[in-house]
Amino acid sequence: MRAVVLDGRGNHQLVDTSAPVPRVGEVVIEPAAVGVCGTDLHLVIGDYPTGRFPVVPGHEFAGRIVEVGPGVDNLTVGQHVAVDPNVACGTCADCLAGAPNLCDYLVPIGVTSDGACADLVSVPATVVYALPDGMSMAAGALIEPLSCVLHGLGRSPSLTDRRITVFGAGSIGLLAVVVARAAGARTIHVVEPSPARRKAALDVGADAAFAPEESLPPRSADVALEASGHPAAVSAAIDLLDKRGTLLQMGVVSSEKTIPLRPYDLFDRELTFVGSQSVANSFADAVTMMPSITETVERLVTHTFSLAEYGDAIAAAHSDSALKVHILPHS
C-alpha cells in the first residue's frame, strides 16, 4: 500500500509499504478524508515536541472499516467511522481524573504512531466511532477538530450571553464561531489577517471580523479564544479581556516562543488563563453534534488533494485562501 512518511526535517515521501494487519482489539480502516491541521504543519518541519519520526501523518479522518481484528465485536466491516486519535492508557492518574489527552503514555495517531495519510491504517477499536447514517466523509473528518473545540470551550465559562473574540479563522477558529453561536453567545468577533477567512467567519455566524491591525474596543471580550498559534495574537487576546475574562489558548505556538506578561494585569483584572490541548473526552459529543451543523461546516473544506499531492496540500494549508484542506487517499 501507499503511505506518506514525514522525517521531521521538512521532508516527506510517498512510499510503498506493507498493509497493516489488525492485532487483537484493532480494526483496519480505509481512510476516505483526512484533514490537515496546524499540528501537521508543525510535524512536517519537526517543530512539534511530542512528534516521533519517521511517521505517517493524519489524525483527523473518517473512512470505512475493511478488516476487524480478534476480540472486536462492536464494529463490522463496511461501517463508516471516525476516529479519536488519542490512544490513552486508561489507568494513569490523568486518565483516571478524566484527562486522557494528558496521559503520560498517550499514543496520538498520526503524531507518534502511523496515521491516515495512507491507503490503510490500523487503530484500536476503542477509539473508533460509527458515523450517523448519511453523514459525508468530509463531515466525518471534521469531527476531530470539532471535538477539540468542544473540549476547549468546555474548559471556559458558559458562553451564553458572553462576548467572545476568536483569534484566527482557520478550521478551529471557524468551528468555535459555529459552536459559540449555537451556545447563545451575545457577540462573536473574529481577528484574522486573511480577507477570505474573515468573510468565512461572517458566513458561519460571527458578528464582525477584523484584521489584526484594526483596533477593537478595549476590554471587549469576556472570553478570548486564541486559535492562530501566533505569540502576538496571544498577547493581543490578553489585552482585550475584560475584568474576570478568560483566555482560552488552543493555538499551537512553537515551544521556543515566549510572550511578555504583566502579572499585575492577571491580579488586577482577575483574569483566568486556560489551556486546551486536543480532544479529551469530547469526541462522542462531537459525533452527536455534527449532524446539526454539517451543512455549515462542510463548506469549510475548500481544498482537496490526493496522497501524491501531499506537498501541495501542505502549501495550500499555509495559504490565505484555504479554510480546511483534506487529503482524499483514494481519489
Side-chain angles (χ1 to χ4, degrees):
M1 72 165 195
R2 303 167 306 154
V4 173
V5 177
L6 307 181
D7 66 2
R9 299 189 297 273
N11 304 308
H12 71 274
Q13 280 186 299
L14 182 63
V15 304
D16 289 318
T17 186
S18 55
V21 176
R23 294 175 293 187
V24 174
E26 292 185 340
V27 299
V28 174
I29 296 171
E30 182 181 75
V34 186
V36 175
C37 84
T39 297
D40 297 301
L41 302 184
H42 285 274
L43 277 172
V44 166
I45 60 173
D47 181 27
Y48 198 75
T50 59
R52 295 179 188 171
F53 303 97
V55 70
V56 177
H59 63 275
E60 303 177 359
F61 65 101
R64 181 177 66 90
I65 295 176
V66 296
E67 192 173 355
V68 174
V72 178
D73 54 14
N74 63 323
L75 297 167
T76 60
V77 170
Q79 273 187 299
H80 289 189
V81 295
V83 175
D84 177 348
N86 285 342
V87 183
C89 76
T91 58
C92 71
D94 290 313
C95 286
L96 295 176
N101 57 317
L102 303 181
C103 172
D104 288 334
Y105 310 100
L106 190 70
V107 180
I109 297 166
V111 179
T112 65
S113 68
D114 287 343
C117 284
D119 288 323
L120 299 169
V121 60
S122 187
V123 301
T126 53
V127 296
V128 177
Y129 292 76
L131 295 182
D133 290 344
M135 180 175 289
S136 69
M137 291 295 185
L142 288 166
I143 288 173
E144 195 276 346
L146 176 62
S147 67
C148 292
V149 169
L150 293 181
H151 168 55
L153 291 176
R155 286 178 48 74
S156 66
S158 168
L159 301 182
T160 304
D161 201 34
R162 305 294 293 273
R163 299 166 299 165
I164 316 299
T165 299
V166 177
F167 287 78
S171 56
I172 291 294
L174 294 172
L175 286 168
V177 170
V178 174
V179 174
R181 180 56 68 206
R186 187 196 317 172
T187 58
I188 305 171
H189 292 166
V190 171
V191 179
E192 165 60 48
S194 163
R197 291 184 178 186
R198 292 199 297 271
K199 180 181 183 303
L202 297 173
D203 289 343
V204 298
D207 295 294
F210 302 88
E213 63 271 17
E214 296 183 82
S215 296
L216 275 71
R219 308 293 182 261
S220 61
D222 300 309
V223 177
L225 188 156
E226 202 295 303
S228 74
H230 292 289
V234 181
S235 296
I238 294 170
D239 290 343
L240 201 64
L241 290 172
D242 204 351
K243 296 173 183 177
R244 294 195 171 178
T246 298
L247 168 69
L248 177 57
Q249 182 60 40
M250 293 190 66
V252 180
V253 181
S254 172
S255 61
E256 305 301 317
K257 300 295 185 180
T258 60
I259 63 169
L261 175 67
R262 292 200 319 162
Y264 183 80
D265 290 336
L266 185 61
F267 154 80
D268 186 51
R269 284 185 273 152
E270 294 193 353
L271 303 179
T272 299
F273 294 174
V274 177
S276 178
Q277 195 253 79
S278 194
V279 175
N281 291 314
S282 296
F283 206 88
D285 290 338
V287 173
T288 299
M289 183 179 190
M290 182 56 78
S292 67
I293 61 172
T294 292
E295 186 176 345
T296 298
V297 302
E298 279 182 331
R299 300 199 302 267
L300 301 184
V301 181
T302 53
H303 295 68
T304 59
F305 296 92
S306 68
L307 283 179
E309 299 169 321
Y310 187 78
D312 295 330
I314 294 299
H318 278 292
S319 73
D320 288 344
S321 61
L323 301 180
K324 189 64 183 179
V325 174
H326 275 177
I327 304 291
L328 309 182
H330 297 277
S331 64

